[in-house]
Amino acid sequence: AEACILQCSLHTSSGEFEEAQAYMEEVIRIGESTEQHQATLFGMTHLASTLTFLTRFDEALEQAERTLTRAQELEEPKFQAELLTFAIPIAHLQRGNSAAATEALERGMEIALRIGDRASETYGALLQGKAAMMQGDLEAGLALLHRSIEASDATGLPFMIATSRGVTCGGYLQIGAPMLHRALDLITETLQLMEAPTGRTNGAWLWSELGACALAAGQIDQAEELFKLALTEQTAPMYLMRPAALLGACHVAIARDQLDDARTHYEEAAEYVTSHQMENDQLALKFTGAHLEAANDNHEAALALLEDCETLAGPELRRVLLDVLAARAQSLDALGRTDDATSTRTRAQSVADEIAALIRDEELRAAFQQGTRSLLSPVPTS
């Protein structure tokens, strides 16, 4: 059973899912026949994770819920925490059920903290931190991301340590340009950590996050290389993160004014998101589409997509809404609708003020406010 578990982990980290699944099924068989309950639960739990990585979210959720019930019956909290901080919330998010994802994460984090499961705490804090950042609770979100770093360090696992830092890099983007230097430091640190054995297990996730940071800092060549790695290297989340990597490649092409290439990347991402029913990626897809239409001077089309983005974000995702309104104002500027652009910026500033009011740390608040001023400044016309 232990040999199969090791093989399962190695194949999963390399994105060799058919081989990994075979070993998981063997672990479950051995566990059941010898009454080694932990082996059985390991196989069942990691099968749920694999189905998640394969974007088979309905099957993943069914498998995870079945395993959770079994773990509760056998009083095995470690597997409960693992399921509730990864497979279950991700499956719920991709099926558009953010409330269920939030509830699962809260339950999983409570168990992880109670039993000292630092690996589950790492993933739980990452997902909670990203959610808080999108909602505009930047200080709390950043605290959760740093908590994930602390928890990952305690595991001693290179891929966990790299993952916490790579995702935290993306968190700094939500604050604004004054924090880009911290994001750039994390890019360097994360890439170094990924060179350790198993360090690339979550490669596609990390390269996508790091690529977005590099692009925001104007390092287009590095961003292109990172998104390319996410799309071509076999790692555990290569299918799960494919839309993010394709959209990142789209933004790189836009930055280089290679709009035909950008359209190709965007259309592939759109087809992938639709065919895999990845509801959690719809907002990023439409926002990138709006950016692409604006780059092609199709500002009416861009505004229609941004209206969809605003609907998807709702009033809860304030940090996302701020970006949407800023983009809307720029397209209105381009169309010569000055009054509408001014009104949109006023509304965006109101959202920014709500976000700033939640930040107690003066340095962090000042950085966000400086970033907001840059974000909402009208783009000079030629």
Side-chain angles (χ1 to χ4, degrees):
E2 289 176 359
C4 288
I5 287 171
L6 178 59
Q7 290 281 7
C8 164
S9 299
L10 290 172
H11 284 295
T12 299
S13 67
S14 300
E16 298 167 344
F17 295 113
E18 288 186 9
E19 294 88 343
Q21 185 169 344
Y23 281 110
M24 285 177 230
E25 291 170 351
E26 182 66 6
V27 169
I28 295 170
R29 188 193 67 76
I30 293 170
E32 294 283 24
S33 63
T34 61
E35 297 186 355
Q36 296 182 52
H37 299 311
Q38 289 193 343
T40 301
L41 288 172
F42 177 94
M44 294 177 70
T45 299
H46 285 252
L47 179 55
S49 296
T50 296
L51 291 168
T52 303
F53 284 135
L54 289 168
T55 70
R56 291 158 57 180
F57 303 113
D58 292 336
E59 294 174 68
L61 188 57
E62 182 179 348
Q63 172 68 21
E65 294 286 5
R66 184 187 308 119
T67 307
L68 180 62
T69 299
R70 185 76 175 274
Q72 291 168 337
E73 292 171 350
L74 294 171
E75 297 182 348
E76 290 283 359
K78 180 184 183 302
F79 295 102
Q80 297 174 43
E82 186 172 343
L83 291 159
L84 289 163
T85 55
F86 188 74
I88 290 176
I90 289 178
H92 278 309
L93 284 172
Q94 291 293 5
R95 287 297 172 257
N97 194 342
S98 59
T102 298
E103 181 184 359
L105 282 168
E106 290 174 351
R107 290 169 59 198
M109 285 293 280
E110 185 277 324
I111 297 170
L113 293 173
R114 175 161 49 85
I115 66 174
D117 181 357
R118 305 311 296 271
S120 292
E121 183 185 351
T122 298
Y123 281 125
L126 282 180
L127 293 177
Q128 286 184 323
K130 285 178 70 68
M133 299 298 280
M134 292 178 71
Q135 291 162 5
D137 199 347
L138 302 184
E139 190 168 15
L142 198 58
L144 282 162
L145 294 175
H146 281 288
R147 178 178 177 178
S148 75
I149 291 177
E150 180 183 345
S152 72
D153 288 349
T155 70
L157 299 172
F159 79 93
M160 283 281 186
I161 297 170
T163 299
S164 64
R165 284 156 174 79
V167 178
T168 299
C169 173
Y172 279 112
L173 288 185
Q174 304 304 313
I175 298 167
M179 287 291 176
L180 269 180
H181 67 285
R182 297 193 184 181
L184 292 174
D185 288 343
L186 282 172
I187 290 178
T188 301
E189 185 178 0
T190 303
L191 291 174
Q192 290 173 346
L193 287 165
M194 291 176 75
E195 293 304 313
T198 77
R200 290 189 170 200
T201 296
N202 283 327
W205 188 3
L206 304 187
W207 290 318
S208 296
E209 295 274 4
L210 301 179
C213 292
L215 187 60
Q219 298 184 1
I220 299 174
D221 289 344
Q222 184 182 32
E224 181 181 36
E225 180 60 28
L226 290 166
F227 290 128
K228 182 179 178 181
L229 286 169
L231 289 168
T232 59
E233 293 291 313
Q234 286 196 210
T235 59
M238 61 184 179
Y239 299 123
L240 188 62
M241 297 306 299
R242 189 165 184 81
L246 284 167
L247 294 177
C250 176
H251 281 288
V252 166
I254 292 172
R256 288 187 164 147
D257 201 29
Q258 298 169 344
L259 299 185
D260 288 342
D261 290 342
R263 180 73 63 182
T264 298
H265 293 311
Y266 178 76
E267 289 177 353
E268 184 178 346
E271 191 281 329
Y272 195 91
V273 167
T274 300
S275 63
H276 291 78
Q277 298 179 298
M278 301 176 78
E279 296 300 321
N280 199 46
D281 290 286
Q282 285 287 350
L283 183 50
L285 178 68
K286 290 181 180 293
F287 188 73
T288 301
H291 194 56
L292 177 58
E293 295 296 349
N296 279 287
D297 289 327
N298 297 326
H299 291 284
E300 292 291 358
L303 288 172
L305 285 166
L306 290 170
E307 185 175 348
D308 290 342
C309 290
E310 188 171 342
T311 300
L312 288 170
E316 297 85 9
L317 303 184
R318 285 173 293 197
R319 184 60 189 84
V320 177
L321 182 59
L322 179 59
D323 283 331
V324 171
L325 292 173
R328 180 177 176 80
Q330 290 179 7
S331 280
L332 290 168
D333 284 336
L335 291 170
R337 294 167 57 180
T338 305
D339 290 345
D340 289 338
T342 300
S343 175
T344 299
R345 286 193 172 90
T346 300
R347 186 176 164 213
Q349 186 61 57
S350 177
V351 173
D353 291 343
E354 291 177 10
I355 295 172
L358 298 173
I359 305 174
R360 292 169 295 180
D361 182 273
E362 292 183 4
E363 180 185 4
L364 191 64
R365 184 170 61 250
F368 171 70
Q369 290 172 329
Q370 181 182 338
T372 298
R373 286 192 292 272
S374 176
L375 180 68
L376 298 182
S377 296
V379 178
T381 56
S382 57

